[in-house]
Amino acid sequence: MSLPLACVPETPSVLPVELLRRFDVPGPRYTSYPTADRFVETFGAGDYAQALHLRRDADAAGEPLSLYVHIPFCESLCYYCACNKVVTKHRERGREYLDYLAREVALQVAQLGPGAAVGQLHLGGGTPTFLDDEELGELVALLRRAFAFVPGGEQSIEIDPRTVDAKRLAALAALGFNRLSFGVQDFDPAVQQAVHRIQPAAQVFALMDAARALGFKSINVDLIYGLPRQNDASFERTLAQIRELRPDRIALYAYAHLPERFKPQRRIAADELPDAPTRVRMLGRAIAALTEAGYVYIGMDHFALPDDPLAVAKREGRLHRDFQGYSTQPDGDLVALGVSAIGRVGATYSQNAKTLEDYYALLDQGRLPVVKGLALSDDDVLRREVIMALMCRGRVDFDAVEAAHGIAFADYFAPERAALVPMAEQGLVRLSPRAIEVTEAGWFLVRAVAMVFDRYCAATRTRFSRVV
């Protein structure tokens, strides 16, 4: 059911910088709850197969699946990257990987049943366009033989602008892809040099023109603030170019410098990173510049033009979150394919082996490559519902939660309600006897609000990127 517009937080004209500074702390992005750091190795392929059986036996005809395929290969290393990737110039490795993906698809379908309906497909990486047009065509054909794609469904792919031209974009359109996401990060040449990702702005503008001419429905651009050699002036120039480019959606991420966890980041000079006040200023300026340019703040670093399906879903209270971020798709099961891919089926999460060697070895044994995951407890499911309601709709109605879970909200969440009182005093939330509502300012810090309901977060907070 759609929420009244009054229940959906709108963008404030000015976000107090002091609030951003106060909540400049690490925290989860809540593409899932519990978050992936809670996955355990005692959950394995057998548990995942059982979840697939339960979905098959229930027929699950109400909601189509989403599919995610991870393509790990990149031709060159971007120093900021924290993704699971394999840097190589050996193109034949893509062919080998496709062969193993076919084995995994066969194993998944054997458990799930053939012809399961699919409403959404997303190719991520790495660099999906590391595969050539013929290989991408084989992958799409493989998936279409195994699953029943719903007409008019969403098919999206992440694009490194350095790997495609107008001809390749036309090939993607012919394969049925209707959404693109371009990795831009920053247009400034000095910043690009510092992160080892040189791509002239003119190249991105030409690709955007080509994509629009080909009729792609919604084009996203990724940006990152907090990168080495960024400063107020350079980031302002990038924002001006982005406003000129005018993509349908913008994802604006904070760079998380965790060299102890992500080896490529050790090549970034820490003394070239902007300090915390500069980073906060850049975020505040980005929010102001993009909203002044007509973008709607969706939440959690995402912006969209008012007529984009994501902005429409926000207005109508239909936003959801999955492992790719905000989505217009109904909240449902996600089957994930490929090395390190994370899926969700029923009340379970699962993750495939993180290295190609382990992924291939398990498939050589005829086994699903799931190596860890989680079966959610009743408390996990309850808290997931509350956190996602905050993250996606900016409001939790106690009546709905109590009816679904058989609890007295005020009693069950008494400590959390108490922890929200200071946030209410700071203007981030409004507390009423039967609801919690995120305010206009709070919408920009909704991760901090959601963290109050996360019973695991305090023990693992340092593993996450910063809220600001």
Side-chain angles (χ1 to χ4, degrees):
M1 178 182 298
S2 298
L3 288 173
L5 294 186
C7 296
V8 182
E10 294 298 333
T11 303
S13 56
V14 178
L15 185 69
V17 172
E18 178 54 37
L19 273 178
L20 293 176
R21 288 199 189 99
R22 193 175 301 164
F23 289 94
D24 185 20
V25 297
R29 297 183 58 79
Y30 294 117
T31 53
S32 71
Y33 179 84
T35 49
D37 61 296
R38 306 306 305 179
F39 294 179
V40 293
E41 294 180 357
T42 52
F43 183 102
D47 302 288
Y48 178 61
Q50 183 179 13
L52 291 176
H53 286 162
L54 289 173
R55 178 185 168 91
R56 179 194 63 197
D57 294 343
D59 197 19
E63 296 295 347
L65 286 168
S66 292
L67 288 181
Y68 172 73
V69 185
H70 189 77
I71 311 297
F73 304 107
C74 295
E75 286 191 23
S76 63
L77 179 67
C78 301
Y79 296 162
Y80 58 81
C81 186
C83 298
N84 187 287
K85 61 199 169 295
V86 176
V87 179
T88 180
K89 294 188 181 296
H90 293 282
R91 311 294 298 192
E92 68 275 8
R93 299 189 71 177
R95 169 63 57 187
E96 180 186 27
Y97 189 68
L98 277 180
D99 292 341
Y100 278 95
L101 277 176
R103 298 189 198 184
E104 185 186 0
V105 169
L107 290 171
Q108 296 254 16
V109 171
Q111 306 296 331
L112 184 61
V118 168
Q120 181 185 44
L121 168 66
H122 183 79
L123 268 58
T127 305
T129 45
F130 180 91
L131 301 179
D132 64 28
D133 293 346
E134 181 180 347
E135 290 166 340
L136 284 170
E138 290 179 18
L139 174 57
V140 171
L142 166 69
L143 297 174
R144 289 189 175 275
R145 287 193 301 270
F147 301 95
F149 280 66
V150 175
E154 181 179 288
Q155 289 187 216
S156 60
I157 183 170
E158 297 172 9
I159 301 284
D160 179 341
R162 301 170 299 174
T163 66
V164 300
D165 54 19
K167 183 178 178 181
R168 289 214 74 188
L169 292 183
L172 293 175
L175 289 174
F177 289 99
N178 49 29
R179 280 199 58 230
L180 304 176
S181 181
F182 289 117
V184 170
Q185 322 316 348
D186 193 289
F187 280 126
D188 187 84
V191 176
Q192 292 182 358
Q193 183 180 42
V195 299
H196 198 238
R197 188 185 176 103
I198 304 297
Q199 52 188 36
Q203 182 181 33
V204 177
F205 274 77
L207 288 173
M208 181 69 77
D209 289 341
R212 286 178 170 143
L214 288 163
F216 283 95
K217 290 182 181 177
S218 183
I219 304 169
N220 176 77
V221 163
D222 287 346
L223 298 177
I224 301 177
Y225 68 95
L227 291 173
R229 301 183 189 170
Q230 275 182 341
N231 55 48
D232 293 315
S234 73
F235 196 61
E236 186 68 36
R237 290 192 297 270
T238 287
L239 289 174
Q241 289 169 292
I242 286 294
R243 291 197 300 271
E244 182 182 353
L245 187 67
R246 203 161 179 78
D248 303 282
R249 300 179 186 180
I250 297 167
L252 176 66
Y253 299 113
Y255 170 63
H257 190 58
L258 301 169
E260 66 281 2
R261 288 183 57 198
F262 305 115
K263 200 171 177 181
Q265 295 184 357
R266 296 172 193 171
R267 303 192 186 196
I268 288 177
D271 60 358
E272 292 187 337
L273 294 170
D275 59 20
T278 302
R279 194 177 66 247
V280 169
R281 283 198 308 273
M282 287 193 291
L283 174 59
R285 179 57 194 141
I287 292 169
L290 294 176
T291 54
E292 288 167 8
Y295 285 89
V296 176
Y297 182 70
I298 303 300
M300 269 299 299
D301 317 322
H302 285 65
F303 299 79
L305 293 174
D307 59 350
D308 185 88
L310 208 58
V312 174
K314 178 189 174 182
R315 286 197 298 273
E316 296 179 353
R318 295 186 291 104
L319 274 183
H320 296 285
R321 279 185 74 72
D322 58 26
F323 290 106
Q324 280 72 59
Y326 280 110
S327 171
T328 61
Q329 299 297 306
D331 190 28
D333 291 341
L334 168 68
V335 167
L337 302 163
V339 62
S340 79
I342 300 177
R344 166 192 166 183
V345 177
T348 71
Y349 297 124
S350 58
Q351 184 168 23
N352 283 348
K354 288 188 175 182
T355 68
L356 283 178
E357 293 77 13
D358 290 343
Y359 177 72
Y360 290 166
L362 289 168
L363 289 169
D364 282 337
Q365 298 167 30
R367 297 170 56 190
L368 285 165
V370 171
V371 295
K372 62 180 178 178
L374 188 68
L376 276 65
S377 67
D378 290 344
D379 180 76
D380 291 335
V381 173
L382 167 59
R383 290 175 183 272
R384 178 172 72 181
E385 182 175 326
V386 172
I387 286 171
M388 293 306 170
L390 289 168
M391 296 289 296
C392 297
R393 298 186 295 280
R395 182 182 174 92
V396 178
D397 289 295
F398 297 178
D399 291 347
V401 175
E402 291 176 350
H405 297 274
I407 64 160
F409 194 101
D411 294 336
Y412 195 99
F413 290 113
E416 290 80 3
R417 290 263 293 164
L420 287 173
V421 170
M423 290 188 171
E425 293 170 349
Q426 293 159 350
L428 301 182
V429 295
R430 284 187 287 270
L431 305 178
S432 67
R434 302 300 298 166
I436 300 165
E437 186 174 354
V438 180
T439 66
E440 295 176 352
W443 195 236
F444 289 89
L445 298 165
V446 68
R447 288 166 74 181
V449 179
M451 283 162 60
V452 171
F453 291 90
D454 184 341
R455 71 185 183 95
Y456 306 108
C457 186
T460 59
R461 179 177 291 187
T462 57
R463 297 176 57 85
F464 301 113
S465 62
R466 303 184 80 82
V467 170
V468 173

